[in-house]
Amino acid sequence: MTDPIFELHKVTVRYGSFTALSEVSLQVKAGERVALIGPSGAGKSTLLSLLNGSLAPSEGQVRLLGEDPTRLSVRALRRIQRQIGTVYQQFHLVPNLSVIHNVNAGHLGRWSLARAMLSLIVPLERQSAARALADVGIADKLYARTDTLSGGQQQRVAIARVLVQDPVVILADEPISSVDPERSREIMTLLRELCDRFNKTLVVSLHAIEYAYSHCERMIGLRAGHVMFDLPAGQVTPGMVEALYRIRKAEA
Ligand code: ADP
C-alpha cells in the first residue's frame, strides 16, 4: 500500500501566543480532491502552508509524501517540495515578465542557478511552456506581458506554471477569490480536469461553498483552528456549513 500524500497527527500551530490550528489530525490519499472550507481566519492558509512544507508545526507530527519535513536537510526538503505545487489567490507571478518566463518558473526547483539566470535572457523550454499554456486554454499568450492579462488568464498562467513543475499534488489557496465570478467556474473546472488527466491530488481552500460541493469529493470544515467535520461532500449538510460560518455572539 502506498503512503498517504499527507499525514497530520495532532498538529498545533501557534503564532506567538495565538493558536491558529489546534490538534489537527488528517490524511490525504493519492488522487483525492479535498476542499478546505471555513470562515476567514479559520486556519486554511496555515494548513496549506504546513502541507507545502513552508511552515513547521509547533506540536504534533506532519508527514509530506511519507517524510517528516522537520527531520530533512534543506536539500531533501526541497526535493519533497518540488512534488508539491501551490497555486495562490494572488497568482504570485512577476507582472512585467512575459508569460513564458512565469510558466518556466515551474522548472526553478530543478534548474541550476546558471540555467535559471540564462532563462531570463533566452527563454528555455519553449515547448513545455507552450504545451502547458495550451492545456490551460491560453496557447496564444506565450509571449504576452503577464500584466496585460485578465485575472482569470493570470490564474491560468499560474496553473500552467504548476503543470510545468509537474508535482504529485496541487495545493490551491483560494484560487478563485481574485477572479471574476463568471470565470470562477471555468478555473475550478480546469483545475479538476487537469488533476484528473495528469493524476494529481488536489487540496483547495475555497470561500465559495458551491464549488466545494460541485468540484471536490471530500470537505474539511475548519473553524477557529479546529476541524469541525471531515466528510465526503455528499454528507455535508447545509446545517453543518451554517454552523461553520455562524457568527459567535461574542464576535457579533
Ligand atoms: P484562513 O486562511 O482560514 O483565513 P489563516 O490560516 O490565514 O486563516 O489564519 C488563521 C489565523 O492565524 C488568523 O487569525 C490569522 O490572523 C492568524 N495568522 C496567520 N498568519 C499569522 C502570522 N504570520 N502571525 C500571526 N498570526 C497569523
Side-chain angles (χ1 to χ4, degrees):
M1 216 180 72
T2 53
D3 280 333
I5 301 281
F6 298 123
E7 207 169 355
L8 269 59
H9 181 66
K10 293 195 171 176
V11 168
T12 293
V13 173
R14 287 192 204 90
Y15 297 115
S17 59
F18 179 78
T19 302
L21 283 181
S22 201
E23 301 218 343
V24 170
S25 297
L26 57 87
Q27 286 191 358
V28 175
K29 300 208 177 71
E32 283 195 282
R33 279 196 309 259
V34 183
L36 304 179
I37 63 166
S40 192
K44 303 181 295 298
S45 296
T46 299
L47 179 51
L48 288 170
S49 300
L50 285 170
L51 300 184
N52 70 18
S54 60
L55 181 72
S58 311
E59 277 170 35
Q61 287 89 45
V62 172
R63 284 193 167 265
L64 310 178
L65 300 166
E67 305 272 3
D68 178 347
T70 62
R71 289 170 182 264
L72 296 177
S73 64
V74 173
R75 203 190 170 100
L77 179 60
R78 277 193 65 191
R79 185 166 39 76
I80 295 291
Q81 286 177 314
R82 279 205 295 271
Q83 297 301 324
I84 304 169
T86 309
V87 174
Y88 297 92
Q89 174 182 352
Q90 297 297 343
F91 321 134
H92 289 202
L93 302 169
V94 184
N96 59 355
L97 287 183
S98 58
V99 165
I100 185 170
H101 289 301
N102 273 303
V103 174
N104 275 342
H107 290 294
L108 287 181
R110 281 189 298 270
W111 282 357
S112 66
L113 181 61
R115 192 166 165 84
M117 303 281 274
L118 177 64
S119 81
L120 285 172
I121 305 162
V122 191
L124 305 173
E125 300 277 354
R126 202 191 64 83
Q127 266 190 342
S128 61
R131 203 178 319 122
L133 278 186
D135 286 335
V136 300
I138 49 169
D140 56 326
K141 300 295 184 192
L142 193 58
Y143 296 109
R145 225 178 97 137
T146 304
D147 54 9
T148 64
L149 304 186
S150 68
Q153 288 171 332
Q154 291 194 38
Q155 194 56 293
R156 285 171 191 265
V157 173
I159 295 169
R161 177 179 57 191
V162 163
L163 290 182
V164 158
Q165 181 186 340
D166 193 23
V168 301
V169 52
I170 296 178
L171 306 178
D173 194 354
E174 305 271 1
I176 51 176
S177 289
S178 302
V179 171
D180 287 346
E182 314 89 81
R183 301 277 90 85
S184 294
R185 178 164 297 280
E186 292 171 19
I187 295 286
M188 281 306 296
T189 300
L190 178 68
L191 265 178
R192 187 182 62 187
E193 286 174 357
L194 292 171
C195 288
D196 278 354
R197 184 166 145 209
F198 296 115
N199 244 335
K200 315 248 178 254
T201 306
L202 178 67
V203 182
V204 53
S205 72
L206 288 168
H207 262 328
I209 305 299
E210 67 266 34
Y211 296 120
Y213 278 114
S214 59
H215 287 67
C216 297
E217 67 249 354
R218 172 176 166 198
M219 279 159 76
I220 298 176
L222 281 170
R223 180 179 168 114
H226 294 268
V227 173
M228 307 304 285
F229 56 79
D230 180 353
L231 288 169
Q235 291 178 24
V236 177
T237 64
M240 288 174 181
V241 173
E242 199 266 326
L244 205 58
Y245 287 86
R246 190 179 299 142
I247 297 173
R248 281 196 213 132
K249 284 215 172 73
E251 295 166 9

